[in-house]
């Protein structure tokens, strides 16, 4: 079946939804999401959205904190406009019905939280369920717009470009025409033809064994964009969140940095504090420093976790400020008001992604990218906490401004798009291959391409991922596609891109730490890593 729409949006997190709400005024919008429409990384965001609201705060301070965190790789101009346009975008979210927590002493003001790397209180939040509140309000707004249709349980297989239709190699000025999309329930692949395509598919958490991300974070947008010929950058900058709940039955539950912002202190299992050895901001140091410090301490002590202690704060305060974390910990028998929370670092955020300009455009015409899938220049080598929701709304707006300018002049490309060709694929009788490779990639990435890297570990990772990728490609060619197989193919490609970028960067900077090059090298490496197809071929 062929669907036609003016705008195709892949993903239903904050980036896709806020873009859809605006763009629907101009034309028809189809949104594709592989699970339920509320399954997104945004929905899981606890901390909040950073912006200058405090009277004592200044744009210059937020800019300086972002640049310091980004370790020399941020794009100064991008940082400036994201910070300066932030408050306006937040006013818009409030207008759309998002209810951020208000200050107890002055309900006219927002309650501003503090997180690692921020010199001021500037994190707007909805208790510790900020993402869920944003998604609630945006979905309500979308549901009132007739021009938007959401396709749940549909997963994009690949982007369709003019060169792919003509059977040519990607060339300059190539243009995106839509995407092939699998309807998971019926197992049919449909063609979605669109004048514009927005990738807002989120990050790549599931590339790693331990992650704070939900199951949907399988790097689909990045992998599809790379296969289509889009430029991908800085994939080595994987942010590990220092504090994920450590419990055998807890699946990737984040303990927000806001807990440390409200006074939580990291301790070893014997009760000793340790962050003073690593940074003057102690437990509130930037994330890369805290995660690396925990990793070092765990390797030294042989313990499996460290502790996060906030028992010195009032019980009432903790329950009202962190209702979600409090309840979740209780489910696992941990009362955070009386005992410290066991925590470990976990993959949390991808700072690299599909390269875009200041208007969210990729190097492929009519293909935009926004949110965690994109690499805008805001985060550089390390993202400042709570800057990601901010980036998503600012870039969704900028992409909309660009879209407004070009949409009226664009006609549908008359080139016929062939329907999806399964090429004689048959039903697989060996699903174990998918399950096994899935597990192997994630374990390999966790062990060899984690917080502390070395040339040897990266080489090992590349050899293994190459081998697994060849097996996956063969499987993909021969068997009928399923959601699991598509996701596996995508995490394998994302893993290759991460390893390729990590091997290129012969220095340590921000989130990339290689013991063979422990220093930052501004002379040679103050630049992005942009892998080409050749960089991904087997060693
Ligand atoms: C957190 O709540 O700690 C996460 C916030 C973020 O990653 O920006």
């Amino acid at each position: 079946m062929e669907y036609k729409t003016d705008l195709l949006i892949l993903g239903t997190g904050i980036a896709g939804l806020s873009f859809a709400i605006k763009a629907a005024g101009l034309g028809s919008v189809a949104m594709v999401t592989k699970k339920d429409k509320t399954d997104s990384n945004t929905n899981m965001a606890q901390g909040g959205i950073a912006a200058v609201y405090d009277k004592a705060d200044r744009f210059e301070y937020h800019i300086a904190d972002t640049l310091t965190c980004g370790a020399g790789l941020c794009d100064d101009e991008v940082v400036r406009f994201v910070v300066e346009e932030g408050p306006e975008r937040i006013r818009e979210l409030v207008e759309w019905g998002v209810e951020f927590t208000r200050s107890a002493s002055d309900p006219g003001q927002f309650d501003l939280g503090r997180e690692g790397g921020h010199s001021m209180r500037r994190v707007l939040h909805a208790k510790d369920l900020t993402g869920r509140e944003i998604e609630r309000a945006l979905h309500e707004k979308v549901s009132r717009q007739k021009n938007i249709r959401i396709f749940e349980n549909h997963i994009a297989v690949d982007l369709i470009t003019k060169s792919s239709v003509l059977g040519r190699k990607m060339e300059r000025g190539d243009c995106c025409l839509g995407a092939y999309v699998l309807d998971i329930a019926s197992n049919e692949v449909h063609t979605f033809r669109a004048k514009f395509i927005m990738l807002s598919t989120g990050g790549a958490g599931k590339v790693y064994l331990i992650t704070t991300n939900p199951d949907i974070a399988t790097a689909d947008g990045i992998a599809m964009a790379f296969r289509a010929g889009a430029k991908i950058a800085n994939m080595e900058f994987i942010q590990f969140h220092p504090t994920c709940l450590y419990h055998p039955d807890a699946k990737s539950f984040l303990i927000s940095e806001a807990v440390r912002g409200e006074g939580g202190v990291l301790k070893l299992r014997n009760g000793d504090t340790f962050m003073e050895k690593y940074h003057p901001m102690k437990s509130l140091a930037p994330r890369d420093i805290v995660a690396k410090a925990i990793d070092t301490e765990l390797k030294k002590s042989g313990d499996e976790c460290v502790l996060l202690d906030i028992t010195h704060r009032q019980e009432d305060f903790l329950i009202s400020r962190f209702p979600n974390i409090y309840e979740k910990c209780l489910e696992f028998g941990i009362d955070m008001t009386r005992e410290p929370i066991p925590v470990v670092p976990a993959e949390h955020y991808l700072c690299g992604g599909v390269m875009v300009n200041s208007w969210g455009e990729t190097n492929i015409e009519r293909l935009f990218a926004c949110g965690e899938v994109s690499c805008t220049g805001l985060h550089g080598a390390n993202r400042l906490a709570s800057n990601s929701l901010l980036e998503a709304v600012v870039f969704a707006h900028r992409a909309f401004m660009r879209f407004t300018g070009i949409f009226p002049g664009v006609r549908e490309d008359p080139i016929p798009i062939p329907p999806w060709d399964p090429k004689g694929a048959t039903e697989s009788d060996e699903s174990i291959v998918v399950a096994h490779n899935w597990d192997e990639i994630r374990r390999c990435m966790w062990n060899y391409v984690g917080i502390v890297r070395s040339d040897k570990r990266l080489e090992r990772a590349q050899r293994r991922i190459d081998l697994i990728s060849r097996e996956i490609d063969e499987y993909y060619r021969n068997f009928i596609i399923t959601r699991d197989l598509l996701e596996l193919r995508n995490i394998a490609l994302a893993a290759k891109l991460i390893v390729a970028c990590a091997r290129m960067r012969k220095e340590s900077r921000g989130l990339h730490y290689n013991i063979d090059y422990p220093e930052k090298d501004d002379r040679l490496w103050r630049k992005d890593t942009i892998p080409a197809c050749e960089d991904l071929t087997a060693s």
Side-chain angles (χ1 to χ4, degrees), residues 498-509:
I498 294 167
V499 174
C501 289
R503 290 194 73 188
M504 272 180 205
R505 186 170 289 284
K506 307 274 187 235
E507 63 157 359
S508 290
R509 178 189 296 272

Side-chain angles (χ1 to χ4, degrees), residues 288-521:
D288 56 325
I289 293 170
V290 183
K292 215 183 306 152
I294 296 177
D295 189 68
T296 308
E297 293 295 329
L298 291 181
K299 285 194 172 117
K300 238 194 286 177
S301 66
D303 286 342
E304 283 175 332
C305 63
V306 293
L307 303 173
L308 179 57
D309 190 354
I310 191 158
T311 51
H312 56 282
R313 296 294 311 256
Q314 290 281 326
E315 181 172 341
D316 288 356
F317 167 76
L318 291 178
I319 295 174
S320 85
R321 175 66 179 86
F322 301 112
N324 179 38
I325 296 175
Y326 172 74
E327 281 298 327
K328 195 66 170 187
C329 286
L330 265 194
E331 270 177 39
F332 296 107
I334 303 156
D335 180 349
M336 69 185 278
T337 66
R338 292 174 212 285
E339 61 195 311
I341 308 169
V343 290
V344 282
E347 192 287 346
H348 183 60
Y349 190 87
L350 171 65
C351 293
V354 184
M355 285 184 97
V356 292
N357 64 14
S358 300
W359 306 98
E361 293 171 296
T362 70
N363 58 310
I364 299 179
E365 268 179 38
R366 304 193 197 174
L367 177 66
F368 289 80
C370 187
E372 190 173 347
V373 68
S374 66
C375 180
T376 63
L378 174 70
H379 308 310
N382 186 17
R383 176 184 66 105
L384 182 66
S386 289
N387 261 359
S388 41
L389 296 179
L390 179 70
E391 179 193 51
V393 283
V394 168
F395 269 87
H397 181 75
R398 290 186 144 248
F400 165 67
M401 296 303 287
R402 181 78 183 126
F403 180 66
T404 307
I406 52 184
F407 178 74
V410 167
R411 299 278 155 266
E412 186 186 294
D413 201 304
I415 186 169
I417 300 178
W420 172 255
D421 179 4
K423 297 197 178 88
T426 57
E427 199 98 39
S428 158
D429 56 357
E430 286 226 62
S431 303
I432 188 67
V433 174
V434 174
H436 177 86
N437 284 338
W438 178 264
D439 187 63
E440 204 172 329
I441 292 172
R442 301 181 67 213
R443 228 167 255 286
C444 169
M445 292 300 285
W446 184 255
N447 289 331
Y448 297 143
V449 199
I451 298 171
V452 176
R453 300 160 182 180
S454 72
D455 277 355
K456 214 181 204 157
R457 287 180 200 162
L458 292 175
E459 255 177 65
R460 278 204 180 110
Q462 183 175 339
R463 272 202 302 276
R464 279 164 175 75
I465 304 285
D466 281 345
L467 193 73
I468 299 170
S469 298
R470 280 198 290 272
E471 208 168 290
I472 295 170
D473 284 345
E474 198 186 305
Y475 200 88
Y476 177 80
R477 278 196 302 274
N478 294 330
F479 297 112
I480 290 172
I481 53 173
T482 60
R483 175 186 157 168
D484 285 350
L485 177 56
L486 294 176
E487 290 184 333
L488 174 66
R489 179 176 176 240
N490 292 338
I491 64 160
L493 180 50
K496 276 181 132 187
L497 288 162
I498 294 167
V499 174
C501 289
R503 290 194 73 188
M504 272 180 205
R505 186 170 289 284
K506 307 274 187 235
E507 63 157 359
S508 290
R509 178 189 296 272
L511 299 164
H512 174 69
Y513 182 67
N514 182 335
I515 51 176
D516 293 312
Y517 314 94
E519 303 301 327
K520 188 150 79 170
D521 181 353

Side-chain angles (χ1 to χ4, degrees), residues 8 13 16 23 31 36 80 101 116 126 170 174 186 226 281 310 362 370 392 450 452 476 479 488 492 527-528:
L8 171 64
M31 298 191 82
D36 181 90
R80 177 165 292 281
T101 301
M170 191 257 179
D174 201 359
S186 71
F226 186 77
M281 289 175 88
I310 191 158
T362 70
C370 187
V452 176
Y476 177 80
F479 297 112
L488 174 66
K527 60 181 181 191
D528 297 325

